Amino acid sequence: MKWRLAALLWAGASVATAANGFGRAEFADRRDPPPYTALNAAQREAYELGHAIFNTQWVIAGTPRAGRRDGLGPLFNAATCDGCHNEGARAQGASGDEPAPIGLVVQLGSPTAQFDVGDPVYGHVLNTSAIEGYAPEARVRMRYIERAGRYADGAAWTLRAPRIEIDALAHGALARDTLIKPRLASALFGAGLLQAVPDAAIVEIARRQAGIDGQVAWREVNGLQRAGRFGWQADAVSIEAQTARAFSREMGLGSTPIPHDDCTAAQGECRKAADGGKPEATDEFLAALVSFQQWLAVPAASASQPQDGAALFVATGCAACHRPQLPVENIVGAEMIAPYTDLLLHDLGAGLADRTLSGKPVTSRWRTAPLWGLNHVRRSGRAWALLHDGRARSVEEAVLWHDGEAAAARRRFEKLDASRRQRLSSWVEGL
Ligand code: HEC
Ligand code: HEC
């Protein structure tokens, strides 16, 4: 197995594959996202139940005829998964100075702890909604500061740096060193295939990466070390773990993996709120949601891609992190997928780093964002909102924010002539 893995990785490093690889499907109706493979009757039923639960509006504990769909809150951000991940797609960003949209969530962290430590009073996520009789934790507003610059050929660009304003805090000020972690709800396409990449492959890629310092997101689960891969910082090791976290932190729903809401010891009234059964989200519903995400396809890439796009992507150094090929295990019909990520964490510099409440940037490592499925955004005609907080309004802006380990690739991009820059960006948009 080891040798086979090495051989597969070697092949993947030298070839920039056709974008439309395994796992893709036409999303003819975006409200009916297809699975990437033919499902048998039982699997199809689980997929469809999962899709229905994904779209279910959860209601307050004790609501009559709730059909096991009660227990929302008392604090939450949205009442459905779909409210943030519209039919599996990434959320929309803020278009300007305005209240943070529902899919742009503010997580709270500690500047010293590695990951998964929240604010002592407000917990892991600032919950901006609450059921009747409870106060939301806070109000969040986005502001943007524009910054201009020029390419080597003189063409102008502008970027917008976010400033997050938090007020109406229900329990007094946040700790000054609490880390403010804005996160846009990511696309869920192909999650089951990312889950099928063996830890050993991720370790091997980190070992071979030259000139950049990709790190495996080791997370301890039941005493075992596993490679995290979901979320902008690869905090979660599985679809189930991320789903339970979303239920707990963003919807106020307990499930077997995480039976409690995101209420801290300082939030007595939140802890005492009535619950909608134990667990609130049943094991059957959780399993169906996992099935839906596990088989969810990646939308097809554009059929008319610039011919030299893939070559430009490799020559500019993008493919060093956004790897065109990764091996998968136990997937019928495929040994390789083309997600354009290495599932490793990289430091992209202070400009993208999370900041404490007082504005101090804290070294942050981000999972190389998978680029497959971006064509779905282009086809939707919606505004682009790229990077972990949706600040980038185009692929070009996203690249210009790349610094730290990706500084050399960004500089090569900046030196391309306008036509190549445009072809490379357009190719990425069509992935
Ligand atoms: C209030 C908005 C919100 C709701 C509701 C929500 N999510 Fe998310 N979701 C997010 C954000 C924000 C992220 C990125 C988290 C991070 O980076 O830590 C995310 C990430 C994910 C990911 C990781 C995808 C990847 O490849 O990284 C999965 C899977 C996921 N959510 C599933 C769900 C499911 C299932 C539900 C419903 C039970 C749900 N989410 C409800 C905001 C939301
Ligand atoms: C050193 C590794 C590295 C290199 C090299 C690199 N990237 Fe990235 N890229 C990342 C990481 C990590 C992120 C996520 C950063 C974040 O969200 O803050 C990212 C995010 C992106 C995004 C946003 C995706 C999304 O879902 O929001 C785009 C687009 C992108 N990169 C394109 C490129 C292109 C084009 C190049 C080559 C010019 C490139 N990248 C080079 C690591 C890299």
Side-chain angles (χ1 to χ4, degrees):
M1 174 62 203
K2 254 226 156 125
W3 286 111
R4 228 175 93 65
L5 191 63
L8 282 172
L9 284 172
W10 184 247
S14 54
V15 188
T17 44
N20 256 326
F22 186 80
R24 302 279 191 152
E26 275 302 331
F27 280 48
D29 174 359
R30 54 170 38 245
R31 284 161 309 170
D32 189 17
Y36 68 77
T37 186
L39 303 178
N40 66 32
Q43 290 169 333
R44 171 59 73 175
E45 202 177 309
Y47 186 83
E48 270 157 20
L49 176 62
H51 184 207
I53 293 165
F54 193 82
N55 282 293
T56 288
Q57 292 276 344
W58 289 76
V59 294
I60 297 170
T63 304
R65 291 183 300 283
R68 297 184 293 159
R69 290 173 167 96
D70 67 326
L72 178 71
L75 306 177
F76 64 99
N77 295 72
T80 73
C81 305
D82 191 69
C84 295
H85 302 279
N86 184 225
E87 297 295 1
R90 66 171 56 223
Q92 289 186 269
S95 51
D97 291 356
E98 63 184 30
I102 197 170
L104 179 51
V105 171
V106 174
Q107 299 178 357
L108 302 171
S110 135
T112 46
Q114 269 245 318
F115 84 112
D116 220 23
V117 175
D119 179 84
V121 173
Y122 291 92
H124 292 95
V125 167
L126 264 187
N127 299 125
T128 48
S129 294
I131 64 172
E132 212 186 309
Y134 294 80
E137 287 183 324
R139 227 170 20 209
V140 179
R141 216 185 147 80
M142 302 303 296
R143 287 195 188 288
Y144 292 93
I145 296 164
E146 299 256 350
R147 177 197 303 175
R150 288 189 183 279
Y151 288 105
D153 65 7
W157 52 252
T158 45
L159 297 178
R160 53 169 202 172
R163 291 288 171 272
I164 297 156
E165 290 179 5
I166 299 172
D167 70 355
L169 282 150
H171 309 279
L174 290 158
R176 275 198 74 72
D177 66 346
T178 281
L179 206 51
I180 308 300
K181 303 172 20 171
R183 298 289 184 268
L184 193 75
S186 16
L188 309 181
F189 305 131
L193 297 170
L194 294 179
Q195 186 163 267
V197 176
D199 284 10
I202 302 173
V203 171
E204 189 61 22
I205 292 166
R207 207 173 62 79
R208 285 160 178 252
Q209 224 165 34
I212 38 181
D213 182 30
Q215 296 183 7
V216 181
W218 290 119
R219 309 294 181 222
E220 192 179 308
V221 183
N222 302 328
L224 291 175
Q225 292 292 322
R226 293 178 55 195
R229 58 194 69 193
F230 296 108
W232 293 96
Q233 297 189 295
D235 281 347
V237 301
S238 65
I239 294 171
E240 185 189 88
Q242 179 73 39
T243 302
R245 197 176 288 197
F247 268 146
S248 164
R249 297 180 183 175
E250 275 137 13
M251 302 171 77
L253 290 162
S255 62
T256 299
I258 309 181
H260 50 81
D261 297 352
D262 188 31
C263 321
T264 65
Q267 296 177 301
E269 70 298 358
C270 174
R271 292 197 150 199
K272 286 196 297 257
D275 67 48
K278 285 196 183 333
E280 292 177 318
T282 63
D283 292 353
E284 186 201 357
F285 284 5
L286 178 65
L289 260 181
V290 171
S291 298
F292 168 63
Q293 297 174 80
Q294 185 171 322
W295 287 312
L296 183 59
V298 183
S302 164
S304 55
Q305 286 281 57
Q307 263 190 352
D308 59 348
L312 282 169
F313 189 74
V314 173
T316 312
C318 313
C321 300
H322 296 280
R323 287 181 60 99
Q325 297 238 296
L326 285 182
V328 284
E329 256 176 359
N330 304 324
I331 297 292
V332 178
E335 283 188 333
M336 301 292 266
I337 54 170
Y340 300 92
T341 175
D342 53 9
L343 295 177
L344 294 172
L345 299 178
H346 299 277
D347 179 357
L348 293 202
L352 281 175
D354 284 329
R355 291 165 180 268
T356 61
L357 193 60
S358 49
K360 186 170 149 294
V362 173
T363 304
S364 308
R365 293 197 164 75
W366 309 100
R367 172 188 73 165
T368 302
L371 302 179
W372 62 1
L374 285 184
N375 191 38
H376 196 67
V377 179
R378 181 151 85 181
R379 285 183 59 179
S380 74
R382 290 183 182 163
W384 289 94
L386 296 166
L387 299 172
H388 63 270
D389 53 13
R391 67 176 72 183
R393 294 162 295 186
S394 63
V395 165
E396 195 182 330
E397 286 191 20
V399 175
L400 291 171
W401 278 108
H402 281 52
D403 200 1
E405 290 174 48
R410 189 204 66 239
R411 280 194 292 267
R412 278 193 289 271
F413 178 81
E414 286 173 337
K415 289 193 188 122
L416 296 175
D417 61 49
S419 159
R420 285 196 176 80
R421 269 195 326 264
Q422 207 279 325
R423 294 204 300 280
L424 173 50
S425 306
S426 158
W427 182 80
V428 172
E429 286 172 11
L431 280 177

